[in-house]
Amino acid sequence: EGAKIFAGALMTNKSLQVINLRFNKIGDEGAESLAASIEENKILSQIDLRWNEISDVGAEKLADALESNHTIEILDLEDNRVGKLMRIRFEAIFLDPKRKVKQLEMIVALKDWMIAAKDEEIASLTTENAQLKSQVASQGEKIASLESNLEYKDSEGRQNDSVDGDGDSEKTESVSNKRRRCVVGNSTTNEGDDSGGDGIHWKRRFEELAF
């Protein structure tokens, strides 16, 4: 029963290449189930079936499966009840030049497939790299734009500070002129007075304010 379950799993196997089923007593019935899986599985390359009580009945089913499966390179049936004639048949199957040629063709096809897969992976990585470069370039443009805006705002702020400074200077100068006129007016008025001391006093104030 366990051999049937395992054989069913082998039908859909996509990665397992070597299996070791020694000392499992799978018998002829289990060998027949494995033979059905071997006909469908094109991944397995080595099967160890030693000490499993397989007779010529089960071995014949395995030999029939090997006629249509050219990926299996080793099938070990030592220490089973397999007769001499069946052993000769297995030797003939594995020594068949056509089988060797087909194995080589399958190896070449597998390598071609692996190369094609690598080429696709490289093409995908190249496309991804180009996309990343484009994203980096886009981010660089955004950063340059932000820096340009900051420089413009900074320059505009310095210009505003300069204008404000000129306005303050004009206001200060205007207030100073008003004070001068006021002092000059008082000084002129006091020059007509009989007391010369007041005229000197206002003149000093004018000089102080002027500086």
Side-chain angles (χ1 to χ4, degrees):
E1 185 67 28
K4 289 183 179 180
I5 295 174
F6 185 78
L10 287 178
M11 289 283 192
T12 57
N13 171 53
K14 300 297 182 181
S15 59
L16 192 63
Q17 294 181 330
V18 179
I19 57 174
N20 185 343
L21 297 175
R22 284 180 295 177
F23 301 101
N24 277 289
K25 299 181 179 181
I26 65 175
D28 291 334
E29 186 177 353
E32 185 176 354
S33 298
L34 285 174
S37 299
I38 289 173
E39 288 181 356
E40 300 295 330
N41 189 298
K42 306 302 180 183
I43 302 297
L44 284 174
S45 63
Q46 298 181 27
I47 304 176
D48 189 345
L49 293 176
R50 287 178 289 175
W51 300 97
N52 273 293
E53 302 178 0
I54 299 173
S55 69
D56 285 350
V57 175
E60 185 176 6
K61 296 294 183 181
L62 292 170
D64 291 340
L66 290 176
E67 295 286 357
S68 60
N69 184 313
H70 300 96
T71 61
I72 294 179
E73 300 173 357
I74 297 174
L75 176 61
D76 195 341
L77 287 169
E78 290 296 324
D79 300 308
N80 285 285
R81 299 193 302 270
V82 179
K84 184 177 181 180
L85 291 177
M86 189 57 63
R87 289 175 184 273
I88 292 173
R89 184 184 177 188
F90 278 111
E91 289 178 2
I93 289 173
F94 284 108
L95 293 176
D96 184 2
K98 294 181 180 179
R99 183 180 185 84
K100 295 294 182 182
V101 170
K102 288 184 178 180
Q103 286 178 347
L104 289 174
E105 289 176 349
M106 295 184 70
I107 291 172
V108 171
L110 179 61
K111 288 184 177 180
D112 289 342
W113 176 82
M114 293 175 65
I115 291 172
K118 285 294 182 182
D119 289 341
E120 290 181 2
E121 184 179 356
I122 291 171
S124 177
L125 290 173
T126 301
T127 302
E128 184 178 351
N129 187 38
Q131 291 176 349
L132 288 173
K133 285 183 178 180
S134 178
Q135 292 177 3
V136 170
S138 178
Q139 292 296 327
E141 290 177 358
K142 289 181 180 180
I143 292 172
S145 177
L146 288 172
E147 290 177 346
S148 178
N149 289 336
L150 288 173
E151 290 177 357
Y152 174 77
K153 290 182 178 180
D154 186 55
S155 176
E156 189 179 37
R158 287 196 298 269
Q159 290 178 359
N160 291 335
D161 291 342
S162 177
V163 171
D164 292 341
D166 293 341
D168 293 339
S169 178
E170 291 176 358
K171 289 179 181 179
T172 303
E173 184 178 357
S174 176
V175 171
S176 178
N177 290 336
K178 288 181 181 180
R179 289 179 177 177
R180 289 181 181 178
R181 287 195 298 270
C182 177
V183 173
V184 169
N186 289 332
S187 176
T188 304
T189 303
N190 291 331
E191 284 178 356
D193 195 353
D194 293 338
S195 174
D198 291 338
I200 295 171
H201 172 72
W202 285 107
K203 187 175 181 180
R204 287 179 178 172
R205 285 192 59 193
F206 169 74
E207 292 175 349
E208 291 173 357
L209 290 172
F211 289 97

